[in-house]
Amino acid sequence: MSGHIEKEAIAKSFSRAADQYDEYARIQHVLAHELLKLCPSQDKKNVLDLGCGTGYCLPELQKIYPQADITGGDLAPGMLQHAKSHYPQFNYEISDAENLPFENESFDLIFSSLAVQWCDDFSIVLSEAWRCLKPGGHLVLSNLAVGTLQELKQAWLEVDHNQHVNEFTLGDDLLMNISDSDFVESEVKINTHIDYHPDVRSLTDSLKRIGAHNITQGRAKGLTSPGIIKQFKLAMEKHRTEKGLPASYAVLTCVLQKN
Ligand SMILES: C[S@@+](CC[C@H](N)C(=O)[O-])C[C@H]1O[C@@H](n2cnc3c(N)ncnc32)[C@H](O)[C@@H]1O
């Protein structure tokens, strides 16, 4: 994500969402399972789930790596509290992907599903992951690129000039960050996934309930008037398909290795 990001606001927004997150995180869970399938099969001893949120992926990682010591790291204390109460068997550490609180060469695998799109600079995320991986270790990560929530963005543009939707980084820039990094690329791709909703309320609610609604600076302040909301809903309806109202996610997925 580009622009100045307030990490405190991000942490607060996700902490507040922790208790209801899993109920509304349909697309996030689908994409997490797709990413889990890409985890290398060779044994791993120390595994970090970076941006682990409610801890949803931690038991899944344990199934793949039964012998591993697994740590959940997240920016949001509320998320980690939730994860700890559900999965007390794992380790937890407040972690910022751009400034990891771990020693060099701590992990054999860093897994991260849809967590680093709120970071200012993806190249720093990559260099921090590289630093904390052991030689031969893997980074299995997904991130969001421009194109994500484009229907919402277009609909709001018809209504006003406030920033209602988070800004994402261009896919080409993310790819460039990867090729400029010290990692060896095993698999890198960008695919668009579409999440369909029956109505506008369901779509915007799902983003709000998981804490991923607009948290960038420059967002509209205060309440939005009923007239504006009506205009926005009409603009969104132009995107309706037979499957419902689409919310696109342009997902960068990568499996990288530190040599
Ligand atoms: C959409 S949730 C994904 C949670 C989990 N990975 C999943 O797939 O269910 C994004 C998570 O990333 C965390 N996050 C956001 N920015 C972060 C950062 N800079 N470092 C670490 N975690 C971050 C949020 O607090 C939130 O828990």
Side-chain angles (χ1 to χ4, degrees):
M1 178 177 286
S2 55
H4 178 68
I5 311 294
E6 290 174 273
K7 292 236 159 107
E8 220 177 295
I10 296 166
K12 263 196 192 149
S13 183
F14 279 106
S15 284
R16 254 186 259 124
D19 288 340
Q20 66 214 0
Y21 179 91
D22 283 319
E23 198 184 323
Y24 288 90
R26 183 178 61 186
I27 181 87
Q28 289 74 14
H29 286 168
V30 169
L31 294 171
H33 282 281
E34 290 203 4
L35 193 65
L36 283 160
K37 282 188 211 147
L38 300 180
C39 284
S41 56
Q42 71 234 53
D43 212 19
K44 300 284 181 189
K45 279 199 194 111
N46 293 97
V47 171
L48 170 67
D49 180 358
L50 179 56
C52 67
T54 57
Y56 179 80
C57 294
L58 299 173
E60 302 298 323
L61 286 163
Q62 189 79 84
K63 278 187 215 157
I64 305 172
Y65 306 111
Q67 309 301 327
D69 189 41
I70 299 184
T71 301
D74 201 284
L75 193 65
M79 281 291 193
L80 288 189
Q81 266 167 27
H82 181 101
K84 208 172 188 170
S85 68
H86 284 73
Y87 311 108
Q89 67 272 38
F90 302 118
N91 316 305
Y92 295 97
E93 197 76 50
I94 299 270
S95 310
D96 176 358
E98 288 178 291
N99 185 16
L100 290 177
F102 304 106
E103 305 269 308
N104 295 353
E105 304 187 4
S106 298
F107 300 102
D108 303 286
L109 174 86
I110 299 180
F111 175 89
S112 182
S113 185
L114 297 184
V116 300
Q117 56 273 16
W118 289 281
C119 289
D120 286 318
D121 188 341
F122 186 48
S123 69
I124 296 177
V125 173
L126 292 172
S127 61
E128 274 296 87
W130 199 90
R131 179 182 69 74
C132 295
L133 278 170
K134 295 177 196 170
H138 286 90
L139 173 64
V140 178
L141 172 145
S142 61
N143 193 355
L144 295 174
V146 164
T148 299
L149 302 178
Q150 60 177 351
E151 301 82 2
L152 246 87
K153 197 171 181 171
Q154 282 165 19
W156 272 119
L157 276 176
E158 288 187 33
V159 177
D160 64 26
H161 293 289
N162 288 326
Q163 190 194 338
H164 295 273
V165 180
N166 293 325
E167 289 293 333
F168 298 94
T169 305
L170 284 171
D172 281 351
D173 289 348
L174 297 176
L175 295 175
M176 185 98 76
N177 290 150
I178 291 175
S179 58
D180 287 348
S181 77
D182 292 323
F183 280 109
V184 175
E185 301 177 24
S186 294
E187 185 164 344
V188 180
K189 60 185 178 191
I190 298 182
N191 284 331
T192 299
H193 299 258
I194 303 181
D195 190 29
Y196 291 96
H197 290 265
D199 50 47
V200 175
R201 185 64 182 269
S202 148
L203 197 164
T204 51
D205 247 25
S206 70
L207 294 174
K208 201 169 169 184
R209 301 293 180 123
I210 68 158
H213 52 305
N214 184 24
I215 35 189
T216 50
Q217 285 195 343
R219 64 193 182 274
K221 299 264 185 329
L223 292 172
T224 311
S225 75
I228 295 279
I229 290 172
K230 196 173 168 195
Q231 279 181 54
F232 166 65
K233 284 185 172 171
L234 286 172
M236 265 312 287
E237 283 301 327
K238 293 182 191 165
H239 296 272
R240 186 177 283 284
T241 71
E242 54 190 23
K243 289 185 180 168
L245 286 179
S248 292
Y249 290 82
V251 184
L252 165 93
T253 304
C254 58
V255 180
L256 309 175
Q257 188 168 26
K258 173 173 175 174
N259 266 350

